[in-house]
Amino acid sequence: MNATKAVAKQKGITFDKFATGHYARIQQNLKTGMYQILRGNDIKKDQSYFLYRLNQEQLSQIILPLGNMKKYQIL
């Protein structure tokens, strides 16, 4: 994510968050401040396992708009 943001900045593109099309959710624990990866609401399309390598900084900078949706709602 940081490399992508750096390339975008070099090209004059700025943004606060990076959106992906993964079926997963991210939640911040209010007690610890840590970000957690949660399964997507559509169990058949869940991709949370794919994001396990992201660190806390990366998790804080992405949004997953499909995570709360079912596949049939996207079409």
Side-chain angles (χ1 to χ4, degrees):
M1 299 289 172
N2 291 338
T4 303
K5 198 168 187 176
V7 170
K9 188 175 181 179
Q10 288 174 350
K11 295 184 179 204
I13 302 168
T14 60
F15 54 89
D16 295 323
K17 299 276 185 173
F18 189 85
T20 77
H22 292 92
Y23 286 90
R25 295 175 293 139
I26 295 177
Q27 174 179 297
Q28 186 177 22
N29 183 311
L30 298 178
K31 288 184 180 180
T32 65
M34 301 287 286
Y35 290 89
Q36 303 165 313
I37 301 170
L38 305 173
R39 289 183 181 158
N41 281 350
D42 191 334
I43 286 297
K44 292 180 181 178
K45 301 301 282 181
D46 174 59
Q47 296 173 311
S48 58
Y49 64 90
F50 185 76
L51 304 171
Y52 80 95
R53 294 178 64 184
L54 297 179
N55 63 39
Q56 288 293 300
E57 180 183 355
Q58 292 166 324
L59 290 173
S60 74
Q61 295 177 8
I62 65 172
I63 56 175
L64 304 170
L66 302 181
N68 291 318
M69 302 175 89
K70 303 270 186 185
K71 177 69 175 181
Y72 72 86
Q73 294 174 300
I74 310 295
L75 298 174

